Each structure stands twice: as C-alpha cells, then as structure tokens.
Amino acid sequence: MPDTDLDAPDQPSLTTVHEPTTSTSSPLGGMPLLRPTLPRLAPPLMLLAAFAVAVVLGLTVSSLNPVALLAETAVLYGAAIYTTSAVVEGRRNAVDRLVTVVVTTFFLLALLPLVSVLLEVVRDGYKRFDVTFFTYSMRGVVGEGGGAYAAIMGTLIITALTTVVSVPIGILTAVYLVEYSKGSRLGKVLTFFVDVMTGIPSIVAGLFAVALFVLFLGPGARAGVIGAVALSVLMIPVVVRSTEEMLRLVPNELREASYALGVSRWRTITKVVLRTSVAGIVTGVTLAVARIIGETAPLLVTVGTTTSSNTNPFSGRMATLPVFSYYEYAQPGIPRGPYLDRAWAAALTLIIIVMALNLIARLVSRFFAPKTGR
Amino acid sequence: MKRTTSARAAVPVALAISLTLAACGAANEDSGSGSSSSGSASGGTTVSGTIAGAGASTQTVAQQTWKAGFEGSNPDATVNYDPIGSGGGREQFLAGATQFGGSDAYLKDEELAKVPSTCGEVIEYPVYVSPIAIAYNLKGVDNLKLDATTLAKIMKGEIKKWNDPAIKALNEGVDLPATTVVPVHRNDESGTTQNFTDYLHAVAPDVWTDKASGEWPISGGESAKGTQGVVQAITAGDGYIGYADASQTAELGNAQIKVGTSFQGPSAEAAAKIIDESERVSGRGKYDFAIDIKRDVASEGVYPIVLASYTLACTKYADQKTADLVKAYLTYTVSPEGQQAAAKAAGSAPISDSATKNAQTAIAAISAG
Amino acid sequence: MSTTSDKPGVVHDAPRYGDRIFAGAATGAGVLILLVLAGVAGFLLWQALPALTASPADVRGGEGLAHYIFPLAFGTILTALIALVIATPLSVGIALFITHYAPRRIAIALGYVVDLLAAVPSIIYGLWGVYVVAPASVPVATWLSTWLGFLPFFGPDPSASGRTTLVVGVVLAIMILPVMTAVNREVFLQTPRLHEEASLALGATRWEMIRQAVLPFGRSGVISGAMLGLGRALGETMAVAIILSVAAGVHWDIIGTANSGTIAADIALQFPESSGLDVNTLVASGLVLFFITLLVNMAARWVIARRSDFSGAN
C-alpha cells in the first residue's frame, strides 16, 4: 500500500482490512479451504488512493493534465494492486489483476483523445448549427450566413453511390477469396493486390478517376459519379479486407452441416456464411464508409465545388462537406469568424451523418444476424 | 439562445432526414434572394448559362464574392471556380477543360505554346493583388522595421537572436529581447512563397542566393501548411516570424519594410501601386498583360512584397452564349464594384485604374467563333 | 477450407445455375478489382514515366529522383512505424476490454463510441494535432531530449512548437485505432465459447484464459487489423500535411523542427501548384508508396502464413 497524504478517516479502515490478510496462513491452523482473496472494498479504495496521490503529484511535481493524471494513477494503482495481490492471492491472480489494470488503462487512454476531438468539434461546430445552415446553400453568400445544404446533399449522394458500387464488389470478392479461390493463383494474386490497393494515396485515386472519365467525356468532365469511382477505389479494399476476415471466422462446421443437408453452395454462402458474419461485415462497411466520407483531395479534382445545389450525380459539379469544410478553413475571408464557424459546423455535420449511418447499420445487422451466445 | 438549445439540437437531425427525403433544393436558391442586388455590371442585359474556372486557391474568397455579386444580377447564370491550385488551373485551362483560369504566376513560355488554336489569343491580366505581410510574434515589440538584407538573413537562420545588432540598427529605441528567432515558411508549394523568395532574391541577392521558387529552397526553420498553418505557428510561438497573406495577419505584428529610404507596411494601397511601377513582360500577346513585379522599387508609399494573381481567358469561345457569359463575368471582376467587394471580403488590394483599363481592353476582345 | 474442395453436390448431378451464377459473380468481382488496380498502376506508370527518364537536374530538388523520394519514403515508414508501435498494443487492449472486461451493456456502447472515431475527418485530426497535441508534447520532448538524448531519435534541440514526427506518429496512431480496434474486437468475439470455458474450467484466471484461448485464435486477425491500420497510416495525407514541420533530407530526430516528410502528405502539399515534370515526380513518389505498401503486405502475409496452423476457422 503506498502511503498517501490522505489521513485519518480512511487509513485505519484500510489497515484493519489488511491486518488479517498478511497472516492468512494460519486462520484454520492449517490448509485454507478457499484461496484467500482481497476484500471487495480494497481495490476501489486503493484506486482512490492512487488517484489522490496522482493529483497531489500533478499539483506539485508535474502538470495537471488528464493524460499524466491517468498514467500516474494507473502506474500507482497497478503497482499497489500487484504487490498486495501477489502477497495475498498469489502470483497468478496478481498478474490477472495487473492485466485488468493495463487493459482498462489502455481503453481510457484511447478514449481521452477521442473525447477531446469530439468535444472540440462539438464546441466549435455548435455555433452554426441552425436552420439556415441546413436549408441554405452558399449561392450568393459572402461573409456571414449561408449554409451547407448543397454540400450535405452532395456528400450523401456521392457516398451512397460509392457504397452501392463498392459493397457488392467488395463482399463478392471476399466471398470469392474465402469460399472459392482455395489457393488458386487468382486468389493469391487478388489477396495480395487488395492489400496493395489499401496503399493508394487518395489523390492518386482521384487523378485516376479523372483520367478514366476524360477518355470518354472529354476534358473538363466533372460529375458526382467520377468522385464516386475515385472513392470506390479507396473503399473497395477496406470492404474486402474486413469482410474476408469475418468470413474466415465462420466455423467450417456450419458450412459442412449445411452441405450435409443438401443445401447448395451459393445458398450456404448467402444463408449461412454471410448471415453468421453479418455483424462483422456491417461494421467493416461502416468503417469503410467513414474512411471515405471525409476525403477532400480526390473529390476536389473529380467533383469540383460549386455554391449551388446539384442533386444530379451524372452531370456537373457538386458541393461536398469535406471540401466545403476544408476551404472554409483554409481560405477564409475577412473577418475569419463566420468562415471558421461554417467549417466546424460542416465537420460536426459529417460526424453526425456517420453516426446516423452507423446506427442504421447496427439496427440492420441486428435484424439479420442469427442469435449467438453473446 | 439558452431557451431553445434542446429544440436546436433536435432540428438538425429532423432536417437532415426530411431534406434527404424531399430534396427540394436550397431555401435560398429558387427565390434568388440573399444575394446582393447592387451589381448590374453586365450593362443592363442579363446573361445565362454555366461557366467554370479553376486555379489558384489564393483567389478563392475573391471568386466567391464576384460569383455572388454576378449571380445576384444574373440569376440564370452560374459561375464555378475550383480552387485546385495554380498548376492545375493552368493545365485545365490549356486543356480546354475550363473557360477561364486563375493562376498566381503567368503562363510560362512552354505553356504559351500549348494554348489551343481554338482559343484565339490568350488573355492574361492580374486581377487579384494582395500584400504579403511579414508577420511576427515578439512580446513587447509592436513596431518592427526590417530591410531586405536583414529579412533574408532572418529567414536563412543567420540571425539567431532578436537583439542582433542588425535588427537593433533598424529599430532604434525599441527594446529588443534576447528571444530566439524562429523563421516559419510554407511547406506546400505556393504563389506566396514564389513572390516572397522573388523579393528576397531581387533585393538582397548577396544573402539570398537562391532563385525565386514556389517551394521553399533552403532547409532550416519551421514549416507549416498554408496561410492558416503559418499564422497558427507564428501565433503559438514567441519569437516566430514568417510571411503570409496580409488579410490573415491582422492579429499579429506586421513588420514595416524598407523601401528606398522610408519604411512601408503591407497596406492595400501601397500594394496596388507596385503594379503600376512594374513592367509588362515583353514579347507576349496583345492581350497578355503579364508583369514582372519591380521588387527593388524605391518610391515612397509602395509595398514591394505583393502577390499578383492572374485571370486566364481566351479571345475566342465556341458559342455566343459562353462568350457573352465569360465577357460579362470578367467585366464584373475588374469593375471597381467587383474589386471593392473583393477587397472587403478577401482583404485584397483593388487594382489601379491603368491595370483596370488594360484588363478591359483584353476583355473587350472576347468574341464567339 | 480443404474440406469443401470436393464436389459438394454429390447427390444431384443436375447443374445448379444459382451456384454457377454466384460463383461467376464472385470471380467477376475479383477480376474487376484486378482490372481497376491494373488501371491505376498503368496510370501511375504512364504519369511517372517522364520523371523516371528525365535528367536528374530537371527533377524537383535538382539532384535526381531517388534523392527527392528517398527521404520521403523514410519519413513515411518512420511515422507509420511509430503509429503502429503505439496503436497495436492499445487496440488489442481496447478490444479485450470491450469484449472480455467491460459489462456487456456498456461494451456495446463502447464499441459504438470507438467506431465513431473513425468518422472524424482527417483534417479535424490534423487541426487537433496542431492545436492540442503539439503544444502538449513540448514538455515531453524536452524531457526525452534531456534524459534519452543519447539515442539518435531524440536530438538536442526539441521543437518549441511540437510540430514533430513524434506528434504525427501519435496522431496517426489515434487515427488508425478505430479500424484496428474494430477488427480485433470482431475477431476476439469470434473466439469459440467452448475454448474459453474449457480454459476457465481448468482454473485459469481471466488473463490466462485470454492468453491461452483468445489471443492465439485472434492472432491472424490482429495482424490483419494492424496491416489495415498501417495501410491507412502510410497513406494518410491531410493530418500529416497540417501537423508536420518538414525539411528536406533524412532526419532520425523525431522531436526536432526538421522532420522528413511523408510521400502522401508531400503529394498533397506540392500537387496543387505543380505543373509539368513536377507533377510526374510526385506521381513517381506515389508509385514508390505503392511499392512500400506492397512490401509491407508481403511481409505481413509471410508472418501470418508461418503461424496459420492455429488460427481461423480450422
């Protein structure tokens, strides 16, 4: 137990709790029936004490920032629980407790920056979260006012198109890799190159899509669909990779059981394999959508920007949220205020859209997924 | 505000859903309201159609402003401008992908050779002039004077402390601290860097031996992305100094630069004057008003570190409607009205009367066929 | 998968059209991807060719292509490695916490929160890195420089603004956490219940159970997730471009003002204002990134293949 500046009220209770445990070897005069365990209250109290020490440390020695506080608390508590547990419960349990501390700390450590990012976006984005922002486009707007209606529509349409293109191709490819390829050369080549595809820089995908469409449409072609093609190049490998991983986890027993009942192969795949892994696949697809919905560079060269709203993805420029947000931030007019407010509001909108998609996807997967133990 | 917070939070979500379903168009578009009703630059008759330009991101806000004013008086016209950068803008213009272009540098000779024959003669004139400020963050120093040589030494890292004798000599009576000098430059290739290094090389060639370049030519110092990045870096660090578009450096100290015998800060008027002092590049087309900015100007009241961004256009367009639209739009951008609007929104310097006249001559030559 | 290799339809000999169509569609999708990739590669080569054949003096930087691209490749790998070193244990920890430690109800919500983080656009991460992480890193960098200065990574002059390789690595780590965590989580969730219960029944503590049942089962998935994360870290553009204070050349010092750039960020930074041969040079660097990803994935495949005897559905 690390000594703390916490005094009188807690100290006695802690020590009384520990007094008997140090002499556990002889309560019954011989073999104990149960392995001795730490009293239930001990870990939370130790955690509190560790936190208090960390606060004191933060105030005196280091600075009082959340990351340092968390790390110090974790180290102190980890050391305390490990030593006490090792003495009382034995080494194996002590390791178990230590790992619990480490895992929980990792989780909290990861959560901190994420919360910090979200807070920042919400705090700055909230200012322009009004009706005008969602109903106005930027046509005819200079300085204050205006909104992201056109950009929201553009992003929704282009993302929908991208998903419609990428998800079937991605899932089918993953099915091919897992169910059909069986170590064939095509399968090996494909696995390898899908990985390589994840490394295509986004701007390259954009330039490729432009080059492709210029062949058919002549120079100056700008349309939502070109952007969707560029984004598909980025999205497909992510879908393939995550789906493949999920399909591989479907136990072979399920497939064999299905075949044994005389079910055809494609029905086995669609009804058994895909449905068993639907939750994982949906998660993967949602992540893939999240990956591409915030892309700026490929959209700028393929879709361009405009201030008016355009809901036809097959002709003409469209505004999109990331591009909108980026240029409101990077090239503001004077005064800067309204531009930056719009930029943050657009970023917040983007996050909310992904949140909504995520939620829908989860509902869908819950609806389709078979009941499992978890 | 407080009363309606919960309602406010609910509105966007509901709206996002209903708008997706309805897709009824933006509230400000059909009625044509929300735009300024002042501009009737196209001379009474309205034009229609859609044209597109692409190029320098420096012009982003100015183009937005012109577009808003123009579309306000010509509700059936749409002008688009993609701020993809000067290089991309020139390339797309030369490929015929856009009707007009924006570029921080005039066309190079080899690019001039690529102008398509359908374009007729190429039109090129500075439309957006903006002073580049030497911004700094130094506690207790509100007024800093520098000359080109000292500035070049600072940016090169040869001057390490703010109380260096060279700086002291220029700033008599100013209590300069011993803070370390940290020069900040752009890490992205930019017209701003091009113009700044052009200035340093032209005025202090002994110290700044590298030729003008859009990419920062030397190593050392800190680098940051874009105007916003540089401004943020300078704002964050005591002793930092860098160059950035003057419209975004109002909250920082802006150094005065020695011109001739006097010192001049980055004001719009002083920036516009340099265009008149500079020489037109010779041996180019009739409507090509490319200029080499005279950095070593000595006249009082002129600020030499400016960025001049060009409009690129053709004298010939495929059909009358496009020609009319381009003509009307470009006319509006160089009109005093358009230039004032841009100055107000983007902080640029309105171009001078003679520059306007040149541009108008060129625009008048636009026709169909 | 070997068990399904024989004809599944022994009973009916009639051809199953559904099967054929489905198999055809699946193969077709795979072939389509290869075609697209071939298209991209062809496009890259076509665009990069002028830079590959140009005389060294004409290439950006004036000293040849390799001289320009090598430091960028170095920076790309260095930042991605830092990100991976930080993110891998973290993501395993988070995934374990969500699947095996947190109460179930909370676990679902937590999984959702982590997924959300993938939705934050990279520009936002960049701004957050510059405004929040960079200033916070300065004292840490100073400490590292003072006490671990004998290592080549920690130079004597830490940056006063914190726009360093280290900060980029940290921000990249956080950016790739959601993807890696999601994969790990799904994989850990698929650990056969029986394995876990058998382990517990033999008296293993929770950690021992995880070490014996969960981790071996999920190893290939964890590597897979790490590769996905690495792919994203290698290709990340905006966040790196916004944060990093770049200087030409190779810099081992990860806390100084001079840092090697990364390929993707360099393309984003230089592309807009480039024209002619400069564009070709940038595309050539994109090609190099392509090859780096290729090599990294080959390595990963090799690692997985060596350990595949105890993983997945077999």
Side-chain angles (χ1 to χ4, degrees), chain A residues 135 137 222 306 317 326 334, chain B residues 27 29 80 82 92 225 345:
Chain A
T135 52
S137 69
R222 290 282 181 288
T306 177
R317 280 145 220 270
Y326 178 66
I334 46 172
Chain B
E29 281 183 29
N80 288 317
D82 296 341
Q92 296 207 353
K225 180 183 182 334

Side-chain angles (χ1 to χ4, degrees), chain C residues 58-106:
Chain C
D58 294 338
V59 175
R60 200 183 264 275
E63 290 175 62
L65 203 58
H67 189 266
Y68 179 72
I69 295 178
F70 180 73
L72 295 175
F74 169 82
T76 308
I77 294 171
L78 185 62
T79 47
L81 271 185
I82 296 175
L84 206 61
V85 165
I86 298 172
T88 308
L90 271 180
S91 70
V92 171
I94 299 166
L96 281 179
F97 182 79
I98 292 174
T99 55
H100 288 83
Y101 286 85
R104 217 183 126 201
R105 230 167 241 283
I106 300 174

Side-chain angles (χ1 to χ4, degrees), chain C residues 169-247:
Chain C
V170 170
V171 171
L172 283 181
I174 289 158
M175 292 180 71
I176 62 179
L177 263 186
V179 186
M180 291 174 64
T181 306
V183 174
N184 292 349
R185 189 183 69 213
E186 295 297 333
V187 175
F188 293 160
L189 275 178
Q190 301 291 338
T191 314
R193 254 290 134 105
L194 287 174
H195 293 193
E196 294 182 9
E197 280 163 8
S199 175
L200 289 174
L202 289 171
T205 61
R206 184 155 49 177
W207 166 238
E208 285 161 351
M209 178 272 283
I210 288 170
R211 233 181 46 196
Q212 290 160 2
V214 180
L215 291 183
F217 181 82
R219 186 178 288 137
S220 102
V222 170
I223 297 177
S224 233
M227 286 307 115
L228 263 184
L230 187 64
R232 175 146 195 210
L234 288 171
E236 177 50 45
T237 307
M238 274 301 176
V240 181
I242 291 174
I243 298 171
L244 201 59
S245 168
V246 185

Side-chain angles (χ1 to χ4, degrees), chain A residues 52-120:
Chain A
V53 175
V55 169
V56 172
L57 265 179
L59 286 173
T60 52
V61 185
S62 63
S63 61
L64 197 67
N65 72 59
V67 180
L69 205 58
L70 178 64
E72 284 164 10
T73 310
V75 169
L76 287 171
Y77 176 65
I81 196 102
Y82 181 79
T83 41
T84 42
S85 175
V87 170
V88 180
E89 301 174 324
R91 214 190 56 81
R92 283 174 56 213
N93 282 296
V95 171
D96 186 47
R97 282 190 186 273
L98 187 66
V99 172
T100 308
V101 174
V102 170
V103 164
T104 315
T105 311
F106 277 8
F107 180 75
L108 292 176
L109 260 183
L111 226 49
L112 265 180
L114 301 173
V115 169
S116 153
V117 168
L118 287 182
L119 273 183
E120 182 101 4

